Amino acid sequence: MTRERRTSIRIDLISDTAAQPTPAMRRAMAKAPTGDEQRGEDPSVNRLCERAADLLGKEAALFLPSGIMCNQVALAVHCRAGDEVLAASNAHVLQSEGAAVATITGALVTPIDAQRGMFQPGDLARSLRRRKLRAPRPRVACIEQTSNRGGGSVWPLAKLQGIADIAGANGLAMHLDGARLMNAVVASGVPARAFAAPFDSVWLGLTKGLGCPVGAVLAGDRDFIDAAWWWKHRLGGAMRQAGILAAAGLHALDHHVDRLEQDHGAARELARRLQSIPGIDIAPALVETNIVLFDLADERSGADDLADYLLGEGIRVGVESGRRLRAVTHLGIQPDDLVEVADSVERYMLDMSKPQG
Ligand SMILES: *Cc1c(COP(=O)(O)O)cnc(C)c1O
């Protein structure tokens, strides 16, 4: 995509990462006290880590540049080469991290069939191999809250507990990918520490719905975080005056959590509008948070064609597959934008249904 084309995007629903840091967030960043993060001397980073550990009900936390690094550091601590990580087949850690688990830790990631990104405790039990010399050693069950490719679905607490029971009985650690954990918290009313409780390690993404420019916080018990520091440094994740970034996280925890409900409302509103358009298949009841998956109902058009048309109108959405598109709401999206998006989709679909010739 050319630079010109990108700057002409007015309504960006490609991901919640499209949210820009707000003026108030930038002011908080500019004022942040800083120090050498790698030496544990950055007061803003230390505050953010204490705050995140408390929010997640864990002993300690670690600031990292990205969510991918959180997943990779955590799995490197939990696993050795030849161990096995189990995750939903469409999980980010399996699909979207450049096979980092295989390259960094040397562990195998086994996919578990999932509906809307979620599997049942029994599915985990059935996926566990019998302990044999020739089998990989199952070590970690990895869960994404909310499920990204599952359409922002929220794992119910009881299901997480059921999975933790199976994991515990089989000596597996539990790891939570919390790129959108606060979306799950706001949508369900379940506190973050309750969602985090069944897990040995959990991270909180700052750059998705929370709207920060950089960063994520990984939490666990003291021994886990001590070991994680080693991997953070080893992977080049130790930073210097990172308090400027941590200040954005602290600001987001103060000001951008409750407002996630607006993003969820916007996603529901978009889903309702799309549902009324002939040729679009969508189940608004499945839109639990800020991700809207919708399908083209027939063969007349492909998802790429619709996405290209929308781009011409200054609207960017994601293409999931030949017929499926994805729109993600965030703090840069206004209610009027949704009307415009739905109107553009409707115009395109009407055009498609005219006799060609
Ligand atoms: C975005 C995302 C990540 C990676 O986070 P980054 O901060 O972009 O590295 C991991 N897991 C899920 C579910 C995500 O949506």
PDB file of all heavy atoms in Angstrom, residues 121-140:
ATOM      1  N   PRO A 121     -12.651 -27.612  28.482  1.00  0.00           N
ATOM      2  CA  PRO A 121     -11.698 -28.374  29.301  1.00  0.00           C
ATOM      3  C   PRO A 121     -11.468 -29.778  28.746  1.00  0.00           C
ATOM      4  O   PRO A 121     -10.330 -30.255  28.705  1.00  0.00           O
ATOM      5  CB  PRO A 121     -12.383 -28.418  30.680  1.00  0.00           C
ATOM      6  CG  PRO A 121     -13.215 -27.173  30.723  1.00  0.00           C
ATOM      7  CD  PRO A 121     -13.696 -26.961  29.307  1.00  0.00           C
ATOM      8  N   GLY A 122     -12.529 -30.429  28.276  1.00  0.00           N
ATOM      9  CA  GLY A 122     -12.398 -31.783  27.729  1.00  0.00           C
ATOM     10  C   GLY A 122     -11.524 -31.829  26.486  1.00  0.00           C
ATOM     11  O   GLY A 122     -10.842 -32.822  26.224  1.00  0.00           O
ATOM     12  N   ASP A 123     -11.527 -30.734  25.699  1.00  0.00           N
ATOM     13  CA  ASP A 123     -10.672 -30.688  24.503  1.00  0.00           C
ATOM     14  C   ASP A 123      -9.207 -30.682  24.914  1.00  0.00           C
ATOM     15  O   ASP A 123      -8.364 -31.300  24.257  1.00  0.00           O
ATOM     16  CB  ASP A 123     -10.967 -29.425  23.673  1.00  0.00           C
ATOM     17  CG  ASP A 123     -12.389 -29.407  23.142  1.00  0.00           C
ATOM     18  OD1 ASP A 123     -12.900 -30.497  22.830  1.00  0.00           O
ATOM     19  OD2 ASP A 123     -12.973 -28.312  23.051  1.00  0.00           O
ATOM     20  N   LEU A 124      -8.895 -29.956  25.988  1.00  0.00           N
ATOM     21  CA  LEU A 124      -7.505 -29.954  26.474  1.00  0.00           C
ATOM     22  C   LEU A 124      -7.139 -31.359  26.955  1.00  0.00           C
ATOM     23  O   LEU A 124      -6.081 -31.896  26.595  1.00  0.00           O
ATOM     24  CB  LEU A 124      -7.319 -28.942  27.610  1.00  0.00           C
ATOM     25  CG  LEU A 124      -5.926 -28.965  28.264  1.00  0.00           C
ATOM     26  CD1 LEU A 124      -4.838 -28.594  27.265  1.00  0.00           C
ATOM     27  CD2 LEU A 124      -5.869 -28.032  29.478  1.00  0.00           C
ATOM     28  N   ALA A 125      -8.045 -31.972  27.721  1.00  0.00           N
ATOM     29  CA  ALA A 125      -7.766 -33.312  28.258  1.00  0.00           C
ATOM     30  C   ALA A 125      -7.471 -34.291  27.111  1.00  0.00           C
ATOM     31  O   ALA A 125      -6.529 -35.076  27.174  1.00  0.00           O
ATOM     32  CB  ALA A 125      -8.947 -33.791  29.098  1.00  0.00           C
ATOM     33  N   ARG A 126      -8.285 -34.214  26.043  1.00  0.00           N
ATOM     34  CA  ARG A 126      -8.092 -35.133  24.908  1.00  0.00           C
ATOM     35  C   ARG A 126      -6.810 -34.847  24.133  1.00  0.00           C
ATOM     36  O   ARG A 126      -6.264 -35.734  23.483  1.00  0.00           O
ATOM     37  CB  ARG A 126      -9.292 -35.045  23.957  1.00  0.00           C
ATOM     38  CG  ARG A 126     -10.429 -35.971  24.338  1.00  0.00           C
ATOM     39  CD  ARG A 126     -11.531 -35.955  23.284  1.00  0.00           C
ATOM     40  NE  ARG A 126     -12.179 -34.646  23.197  1.00  0.00           N
ATOM     41  CZ  ARG A 126     -13.108 -34.215  24.035  1.00  0.00           C
ATOM     42  NH1 ARG A 126     -13.502 -34.985  25.042  1.00  0.00           N
ATOM     43  NH2 ARG A 126     -13.646 -33.022  23.902  1.00  0.00           N
ATOM     44  N   SER A 127      -6.336 -33.591  24.200  1.00  0.00           N
ATOM     45  CA  SER A 127      -5.112 -33.231  23.456  1.00  0.00           C
ATOM     46  C   SER A 127      -3.843 -33.632  24.175  1.00  0.00           C
ATOM     47  O   SER A 127      -2.757 -33.586  23.586  1.00  0.00           O
ATOM     48  CB  SER A 127      -5.075 -31.715  23.220  1.00  0.00           C
ATOM     49  OG  SER A 127      -6.200 -31.315  22.481  1.00  0.00           O
ATOM     50  N   LEU A 128      -3.958 -33.962  25.462  1.00  0.00           N
ATOM     51  CA  LEU A 128      -2.749 -34.280  26.230  1.00  0.00           C
ATOM     52  C   LEU A 128      -2.241 -35.666  25.853  1.00  0.00           C
ATOM     53  O   LEU A 128      -2.990 -36.637  25.857  1.00  0.00           O
ATOM     54  CB  LEU A 128      -3.044 -34.207  27.726  1.00  0.00           C
ATOM     55  CG  LEU A 128      -3.301 -32.784  28.237  1.00  0.00           C
ATOM     56  CD1 LEU A 128      -3.711 -32.815  29.700  1.00  0.00           C
ATOM     57  CD2 LEU A 128      -2.070 -31.913  28.041  1.00  0.00           C
ATOM     58  N   ARG A 129      -0.974 -35.728  25.526  1.00  0.00           N
ATOM     59  CA  ARG A 129      -0.382 -37.006  25.145  1.00  0.00           C
ATOM     60  C   ARG A 129      -0.070 -37.820  26.392  1.00  0.00           C
ATOM     61  O   ARG A 129       0.244 -37.276  27.430  1.00  0.00           O
ATOM     62  CB  ARG A 129       0.910 -36.771  24.381  1.00  0.00           C
ATOM     63  CG  ARG A 129       0.719 -36.024  23.090  1.00  0.00           C
ATOM     64  CD  ARG A 129       2.066 -35.601  22.554  1.00  0.00           C
ATOM     65  NE  ARG A 129       1.915 -34.454  21.659  1.00  0.00           N
ATOM     66  CZ  ARG A 129       1.641 -34.561  20.363  1.00  0.00           C
ATOM     67  NH1 ARG A 129       1.489 -35.741  19.825  1.00  0.00           N
ATOM     68  NH2 ARG A 129       1.515 -33.488  19.621  1.00  0.00           N
ATOM     69  N   ARG A 130      -0.137 -39.132  26.236  1.00  0.00           N
ATOM     70  CA  ARG A 130       0.364 -40.005  27.302  1.00  0.00           C
ATOM     71  C   ARG A 130       1.856 -39.784  27.445  1.00  0.00           C
ATOM     72  O   ARG A 130       2.549 -39.573  26.450  1.00  0.00           O
ATOM     73  CB  ARG A 130       0.101 -41.479  26.938  1.00  0.00           C
ATOM     74  CG  ARG A 130      -1.356 -41.786  26.678  1.00  0.00           C
ATOM     75  CD  ARG A 130      -2.039 -42.358  27.901  1.00  0.00           C
ATOM     76  NE  ARG A 130      -1.545 -43.705  28.176  1.00  0.00           N
ATOM     77  CZ  ARG A 130      -1.851 -44.792  27.466  1.00  0.00           C
ATOM     78  NH1 ARG A 130      -2.649 -44.690  26.422  1.00  0.00           N
ATOM     79  NH2 ARG A 130      -1.397 -45.967  27.802  1.00  0.00           N
ATOM     80  N   ARG A 131       2.341 -39.798  28.660  1.00  0.00           N
ATOM     81  CA  ARG A 131       3.779 -39.594  28.878  1.00  0.00           C
ATOM     82  C   ARG A 131       4.537 -40.800  28.352  1.00  0.00           C
ATOM     83  O   ARG A 131       4.379 -41.902  28.845  1.00  0.00           O
ATOM     84  CB  ARG A 131       4.072 -39.416  30.366  1.00  0.00           C
ATOM     85  CG  ARG A 131       3.311 -38.272  30.985  1.00  0.00           C
ATOM     86  CD  ARG A 131       4.229 -37.164  31.451  1.00  0.00           C
ATOM     87  NE  ARG A 131       3.412 -35.996  31.805  1.00  0.00           N
ATOM     88  CZ  ARG A 131       3.897 -34.776  31.940  1.00  0.00           C
ATOM     89  NH1 ARG A 131       5.174 -34.548  31.763  1.00  0.00           N
ATOM     90  NH2 ARG A 131       3.103 -33.782  32.247  1.00  0.00           N
ATOM     91  N   LYS A 132       5.301 -40.556  27.324  1.00  0.00           N
ATOM     92  CA  LYS A 132       6.103 -41.623  26.721  1.00  0.00           C
ATOM     93  C   LYS A 132       7.421 -41.013  26.309  1.00  0.00           C
ATOM     94  O   LYS A 132       7.492 -39.818  26.011  1.00  0.00           O
ATOM     95  CB  LYS A 132       5.420 -42.166  25.464  1.00  0.00           C
ATOM     96  CG  LYS A 132       4.286 -43.103  25.734  1.00  0.00           C
ATOM     97  CD  LYS A 132       3.818 -43.723  24.440  1.00  0.00           C
ATOM     98  CE  LYS A 132       2.539 -44.521  24.675  1.00  0.00           C
ATOM     99  NZ  LYS A 132       1.708 -44.566  23.517  1.00  0.00           N
ATOM    100  N   LEU A 133       8.425 -41.853  26.211  1.00  0.00           N
ATOM    101  CA  LEU A 133       9.749 -41.379  25.833  1.00  0.00           C
ATOM    102  C   LEU A 133       9.707 -40.667  24.484  1.00  0.00           C
ATOM    103  O   LEU A 133      10.402 -39.693  24.244  1.00  0.00           O
ATOM    104  CB  LEU A 133      10.693 -42.584  25.764  1.00  0.00           C
ATOM    105  CG  LEU A 133      12.169 -42.303  26.004  1.00  0.00           C
ATOM    106  CD1 LEU A 133      12.385 -41.538  27.304  1.00  0.00           C
ATOM    107  CD2 LEU A 133      12.918 -43.629  26.037  1.00  0.00           C
ATOM    108  N   ARG A 134       8.863 -41.167  23.582  1.00  0.00           N
ATOM    109  CA  ARG A 134       8.884 -40.630  22.222  1.00  0.00           C
ATOM    110  C   ARG A 134       7.957 -39.430  22.030  1.00  0.00           C
ATOM    111  O   ARG A 134       7.918 -38.856  20.945  1.00  0.00           O
ATOM    112  CB  ARG A 134       8.527 -41.739  21.232  1.00  0.00           C
ATOM    113  CG  ARG A 134       7.159 -42.345  21.454  1.00  0.00           C
ATOM    114  CD  ARG A 134       6.861 -43.369  20.365  1.00  0.00           C
ATOM    115  NE  ARG A 134       5.523 -43.920  20.497  1.00  0.00           N
ATOM    116  CZ  ARG A 134       5.258 -45.087  21.069  1.00  0.00           C
ATOM    117  NH1 ARG A 134       6.233 -45.820  21.567  1.00  0.00           N
ATOM    118  NH2 ARG A 134       4.014 -45.512  21.146  1.00  0.00           N
ATOM    119  N   ALA A 135       7.215 -39.037  23.055  1.00  0.00           N
ATOM    120  CA  ALA A 135       6.253 -37.937  22.898  1.00  0.00           C
ATOM    121  C   ALA A 135       6.855 -36.624  23.413  1.00  0.00           C
ATOM    122  O   ALA A 135       7.686 -36.634  24.306  1.00  0.00           O
ATOM    123  CB  ALA A 135       4.984 -38.257  23.690  1.00  0.00           C
ATOM    124  N   PRO A 136       6.415 -35.495  22.841  1.00  0.00           N
ATOM    125  CA  PRO A 136       6.819 -34.222  23.433  1.00  0.00           C
ATOM    126  C   PRO A 136       6.242 -34.111  24.846  1.00  0.00           C
ATOM    127  O   PRO A 136       5.241 -34.756  25.155  1.00  0.00           O
ATOM    128  CB  PRO A 136       6.210 -33.175  22.503  1.00  0.00           C
ATOM    129  CG  PRO A 136       5.216 -33.887  21.663  1.00  0.00           C
ATOM    130  CD  PRO A 136       5.515 -35.344  21.697  1.00  0.00           C
ATOM    131  N   ARG A 137       6.877 -33.293  25.682  1.00  0.00           N
ATOM    132  CA  ARG A 137       6.402 -33.149  27.065  1.00  0.00           C
ATOM    133  C   ARG A 137       5.418 -31.987  27.149  1.00  0.00           C
ATOM    134  O   ARG A 137       5.814 -30.835  26.975  1.00  0.00           O
ATOM    135  CB  ARG A 137       7.587 -32.832  27.995  1.00  0.00           C
ATOM    136  CG  ARG A 137       8.619 -33.932  28.119  1.00  0.00           C
ATOM    137  CD  ARG A 137       9.801 -33.431  28.939  1.00  0.00           C
ATOM    138  NE  ARG A 137      10.477 -32.315  28.264  1.00  0.00           N
ATOM    139  CZ  ARG A 137      11.689 -32.438  27.673  1.00  0.00           C
ATOM    140  NH1 ARG A 137      12.329 -33.566  27.691  1.00  0.00           N
ATOM    141  NH2 ARG A 137      12.229 -31.384  27.091  1.00  0.00           N
ATOM    142  N   PRO A 138       4.118 -32.256  27.387  1.00  0.00           N
ATOM    143  CA  PRO A 138       3.176 -31.138  27.502  1.00  0.00           C
ATOM    144  C   PRO A 138       3.519 -30.290  28.727  1.00  0.00           C
ATOM    145  O   PRO A 138       3.703 -30.830  29.813  1.00  0.00           O
ATOM    146  CB  PRO A 138       1.810 -31.822  27.645  1.00  0.00           C
ATOM    147  CG  PRO A 138       2.088 -33.236  27.998  1.00  0.00           C
ATOM    148  CD  PRO A 138       3.488 -33.565  27.590  1.00  0.00           C
ATOM    149  N   ARG A 139       3.635 -28.962  28.537  1.00  0.00           N
ATOM    150  CA  ARG A 139       4.109 -28.108  29.628  1.00  0.00           C
ATOM    151  C   ARG A 139       3.194 -26.930  29.932  1.00  0.00           C
ATOM    152  O   ARG A 139       3.109 -26.485  31.065  1.00  0.00           O
ATOM    153  CB  ARG A 139       5.496 -27.548  29.275  1.00  0.00           C
ATOM    154  CG  ARG A 139       6.661 -28.409  29.689  1.00  0.00           C
ATOM    155  CD  ARG A 139       6.710 -28.616  31.198  1.00  0.00           C
ATOM    156  NE  ARG A 139       6.879 -27.353  31.913  1.00  0.00           N
ATOM    157  CZ  ARG A 139       6.331 -27.102  33.099  1.00  0.00           C
ATOM    158  NH1 ARG A 139       5.568 -27.999  33.689  1.00  0.00           N
ATOM    159  NH2 ARG A 139       6.532 -25.952  33.684  1.00  0.00           N
ATOM    160  N   VAL A 140       2.541 -26.358  28.901  1.00  0.00           N
ATOM    161  CA  VAL A 140       1.789 -25.110  29.120  1.00  0.00           C
ATOM    162  C   VAL A 140       0.489 -25.121  28.334  1.00  0.00           C
ATOM    163  O   VAL A 140       0.482 -25.499  27.159  1.00  0.00           O
ATOM    164  CB  VAL A 140       2.595 -23.864  28.640  1.00  0.00           C
ATOM    165  CG1 VAL A 140       1.880 -22.582  29.035  1.00  0.00           C
ATOM    166  CG2 VAL A 140       4.008 -23.860  29.184  1.00  0.00           C
TER     167      VAL A 140
END
